[in-house]
Amino acid sequence: MNLLPRAVAGALVLAVPVTAQAVSPASFDTVSAELVFAVSQLVGWGLLLTVARAVRPLSSWGLRLLAAGCLLQLVFALGYAAAVATSGEPADWAFLPFLLGFVCLTAGCVITLLAARRVPAARLAMLGAALVGGLGLAAVVVGGDPWHDLALVGSYLAWPVLAADGSLERDGIREGLRRATTGPSATTERA
């Protein structure tokens, strides 16, 4: 199963509205634009959740934290949409799952990064995990624009780097770990 198309689609669905809002903030001062943003968050994080669930990040805790981070971002999107639909603007409380989601994503990426050191073929995944986690944390820590928006977009666009590493797909990881611990298989030696 190739995760890259889903990761690219999810990253773009998330990045385009944030970029558009950064370039033209006044165009996002309408209820309809805020709802489009909320729907893009739902669709984008839904796609990335499928990537997080299909990737085997070398650690069950890493996988759980990546999935929890995506789920918390979905809760953020639902709360954001509900607040905008009822009051015309996002509510402050809706940003708590956003913050917690990025904390979980960062922790999951750090665990993945540390565990990937055992698999030499997982270098691309290590880079992707470092970018997703590091830029996601920066987006939460740096509150001011444009740095917040740049970190968000960077974190979103790093998901395809994480997904591009085929060694982290569920079936590929077992083979990578086996090679790292036992050497080439008997079937590859005969070939």
Side-chain angles (χ1 to χ4, degrees), residues 65-81:
L65 287 167
L66 285 174
C70 291
L71 286 170
L72 284 164
Q73 294 301 330
L74 289 169
V75 170
F76 158 71
L78 289 171
Y80 191 97

Side-chain angles (χ1 to χ4, degrees), residues 10 20 22 42 48 50 54 63 76 86 107 110 147 160 162 164 169-170 172 177 183:
L42 281 169
L48 293 182
T50 66
L63 174 64
F76 158 71
T86 57
V110 167
W147 306 114
L162 179 61
E169 290 186 36
R170 287 193 186 273
L177 282 173

Side-chain angles (χ1 to χ4, degrees), residues 90-105:
D92 290 340
W93 59 263
F95 288 91
L96 182 60
F98 175 84
L99 170 69
L100 294 174
F102 272 106
V103 169
C104 286
L105 286 168

Side-chain angles (χ1 to χ4, degrees), residues 65-168:
L65 287 167
L66 285 174
C70 291
L71 286 170
L72 284 164
Q73 294 301 330
L74 289 169
V75 170
F76 158 71
L78 289 171
Y80 191 97
V84 167
T86 57
S87 70
E89 58 186 52
D92 290 340
W93 59 263
F95 288 91
L96 182 60
F98 175 84
L99 170 69
L100 294 174
F102 272 106
V103 169
C104 286
L105 286 168
T106 300
C109 285
V110 167
I111 290 170
T112 299
L113 186 64
L114 294 173
R117 295 177 308 166
R118 296 179 302 191
V119 182
R123 298 288 184 233
L124 189 59
M126 289 175 67
L127 174 63
L131 290 171
V132 168
L135 291 170
L137 182 61
V140 171
V141 173
V142 179
D145 290 329
W147 306 114
H148 167 76
D149 292 334
L150 286 170
L152 268 182
V153 169
S155 179
Y156 297 155
L157 295 178
W159 274 87
V161 177
L162 179 61
D165 193 335
S167 69
L168 285 188

